[in-house]
Amino acid sequence: MKVYIIHGLNSAPNKHWFGWLTEVLAKKNVPCKCLAMPCATNPDAQQWLEFLKKEIQMDEQTILIGHSLGCVATLTFLANTGAHAYATILVSGFDKPMQRLPQLNPFIDLYRAQPSIVPLKNSYVFAALDDKNVPYEHIDTLARHLESVLIRFPHGGHFKEEDGFVTFPPLLEKIENILNI
């Protein structure tokens, strides 16, 4: 098994809970890598897709974790390559345009141009009702579109360090359940 984390806009591998999860999984002998997405402050959808195609060594033993914009990038990667992950976990994800972030619309357009991956087997969507970055309704819609299991929290914001998420035990627990470890 191996795990890849795909971060979102204005983020990096050393942010939020990414480094913590990488370290904890390494101690359990599960390789985990948070990819340093290119130009995270001014991302380009096609550039991110090509980067993921180059960096992810995909097989049936791969778990993909997307956070925020990293979710739609992950979905685009899966749809474009036809790859099947062992599990896909999407944290605060969305698959439709957001008025407050129109610069991300090309990611939605590129995803919609790909073949459908619905239903996305063995997929989970983490959401917080008080997410101020991605409206909860968008996250709920994503889970319904993909026929994913929705894991909803009353509080958690966008699951960023600013929201108190330098660790993310419920996510680790979900991975441990998926891997039976």
Side-chain angles (χ1 to χ4, degrees):
M1 286 293 175
K2 62 184 173 244
V3 176
Y4 290 96
I5 302 169
I6 298 90
H7 68 71
L9 179 68
N10 296 323
S11 196
N14 64 344
K15 303 276 274 181
H16 317 311
W17 41 268
F18 309 144
W20 169 81
L21 185 61
T22 300
E23 288 178 21
V24 171
L25 290 176
K27 291 176 185 171
K28 296 175 180 290
N29 296 316
V30 177
C32 179
K33 181 176 184 181
C34 183
L35 300 174
M37 300 305 293
C39 302
T41 58
N42 187 24
D44 175 87
Q46 189 65 46
Q47 182 183 27
W48 275 32
L49 173 59
E50 295 307 318
F51 179 81
L52 293 176
K53 288 165 68 173
K54 185 179 93 181
E55 293 295 320
I56 295 177
Q57 305 301 311
M58 195 68 190
D59 61 31
E60 299 81 28
Q61 300 296 302
T62 304
I63 295 175
L64 299 176
I65 303 172
H67 179 248
S68 193
L69 181 60
C71 295
V72 72
T74 298
L75 295 172
T76 303
F77 167 78
L78 289 170
N80 181 270
T81 62
H84 298 280
Y86 187 77
T88 306
I89 302 172
L90 305 171
V91 179
S92 293
F94 55 95
D95 66 352
K96 63 184 201 175
M98 291 192 298
Q99 283 186 332
R100 59 181 289 278
L101 292 169
Q103 71 270 30
L104 303 184
N105 289 350
F107 282 85
I108 303 300
D109 295 340
L110 184 59
Y111 172 57
R112 289 181 174 172
Q114 307 304 313
S116 174
I117 55 172
V118 174
L120 186 58
K121 294 181 179 171
N122 206 19
S123 61
Y124 307 87
V125 174
F126 281 72
L129 292 173
D130 63 348
D131 192 324
K132 299 212 183 324
N133 294 79
V134 177
Y136 170 75
E137 295 77 20
H138 282 45
I139 305 167
D140 180 68
T141 298
L142 172 67
R144 283 188 283 112
H145 284 169
L146 297 173
E147 300 179 24
S148 299
V149 174
L150 177 62
I151 302 167
R152 180 176 45 218
F153 296 85
H155 304 287
H158 200 56
F159 302 104
K160 300 187 305 183
E161 56 196 336
E162 295 89 338
D163 301 313
F165 281 80
V166 293
T167 65
F168 199 167
L171 177 58
L172 176 61
E173 183 179 322
K174 175 51 66 185
I175 295 166
E176 290 171 337
N177 289 340
I178 291 168
L179 298 176
N180 293 313
I181 57 173

